[in-house]
Amino acid sequence: DAKTTQPPSMDCAEGRAANLPCNHSTISGNEYVYWYRQIHSQGPQYIIHGLKNNETNEMASLIITEDRKSSTLILPHATLRDTAVYYCIVQGASGTYKYIFGTGTRLKVLA
Amino acid sequence: EAGVVQSPRYKIIEKKQPVAFWCNPISGHNTLYWYLQNLGQGPELLIRYENEEAVDDSQLPKDRFSAERLKGVDSTLKIQPAELGDSAVYLCASSFQGATQYFGPGTRLTVL
């Protein structure tokens, strides 16, 4: 199962874009990249996922490099409510559906 | 649509006592997961069910932990007896055939 590497913490000014990087250099061709966030005392919340194309939804955008070895989650206009721990996960190969969480990036949005 | 429901949200017990956690997944989701989350760490999978079958329980400490999903819907995770090191958050998640997982709020267990 592919592992991910994320910076332990980041700060972002309110209203600015938050760009959260993730390295997944051992990802296999059929493995998806998932992003979740966890606000204190809550369960992880699904944000977005992708295979190789860039994806966008109402919460965020996901940019995956062409070699698929890294990705960036973009929150276009961060608010104080986006302060959370963000997890980048590579879903296990077909048949296992296994999520392996790392320690994530603690994003603090500053007023 | 209701999300994943877990109860209780908080539980405080003394060591060596038994404890049970309950999870009701999103309607129609056939895959159910139990995770353990220690403070400052990401969740770790304990067990995964496909309908009523436990298809991955390799990380479940079977000497004291047990789980069941008798009718392929809701599930119970039990610890007997609890130890101090079991203090953690126990998360339940569900998905449809192994796709995107949706998590419940978790049960925070404190063992004294």
Side-chain angles (χ1 to χ4, degrees), chain A residues 34 36 38 40-47 49 85 87 89 91 95-104 106, chain B residues 9-10 33 35 37 40-43 45 48 50 56 58-59 91 97-106 108:
Chain A
Y34 277 79
Y36 284 76
Q38 189 171 26
H40 184 61
S41 297
Q42 298 182 22
Q45 177 191 21
Y46 167 75
I47 301 172
H49 74 283
V85 177
Y87 293 102
I89 300 159
Q91 187 183 39
T96 69
Y97 309 122
K98 194 170 184 176
Y99 282 3
I100 299 177
F101 286 82
T103 52
R106 185 172 297 277
Chain B
R9 288 296 316 278
Y10 304 91
Y33 314 75
Y35 287 85
Q37 186 171 26
Q41 303 295 316
L45 181 69
R48 174 170 68 94
E50 295 286 343
D56 184 357
S58 57
Q59 301 303 310
L91 293 160
Q97 295 186 350
T100 303
Q101 297 181 30
Y102 294 90
F103 287 79
R108 182 176 298 276

Side-chain angles (χ1 to χ4, degrees), chain B residues 52-91:
Chain B
E52 61 275 4
E53 182 183 359
V55 296
D56 184 357
D57 63 357
S58 57
Q59 301 303 310
L60 189 72
K62 298 180 184 63
D63 57 336
R64 297 183 299 107
F65 286 65
S66 64
E68 60 183 16
R69 193 185 185 200
L70 294 176
K71 296 183 179 179
V73 180
D74 56 350
S75 175
T76 302
L77 178 69
K78 298 178 181 178
I79 308 175
Q80 183 170 9
E83 297 178 353
L84 294 177
D86 297 331
S87 294
V89 175
Y90 292 82
L91 293 160

Side-chain angles (χ1 to χ4, degrees), chain A residues 28-109:
Chain A
S28 299
N30 60 349
E31 293 179 322
Y32 282 80
V33 178
Y34 277 79
W35 283 84
Y36 284 76
R37 71 181 183 186
Q38 189 171 26
I39 297 168
H40 184 61
S41 297
Q42 298 182 22
Q45 177 191 21
Y46 167 75
I47 301 172
I48 198 167
H49 74 283
L51 183 62
K52 53 184 175 181
N53 296 322
N54 298 338
E55 302 288 344
T56 296
N57 62 20
E58 65 278 3
M59 290 182 69
S61 294
L62 174 61
I63 308 297
I64 303 175
T65 58
E66 192 169 340
D67 63 7
R68 304 210 324 123
K69 293 185 177 182
S70 65
S71 61
T72 301
L73 178 75
I74 301 173
L75 307 178
H77 305 288
T79 71
L80 298 178
R81 289 179 296 178
D82 292 323
T83 293
V85 177
Y86 287 77
Y87 293 102
C88 168
I89 300 159
V90 172
Q91 187 183 39
S94 178
T96 69
Y97 309 122
K98 194 170 184 176
Y99 282 3
I100 299 177
F101 286 82
T103 52
T105 295
R106 185 172 297 277
L107 175 70
K108 183 183 288 186
V109 179

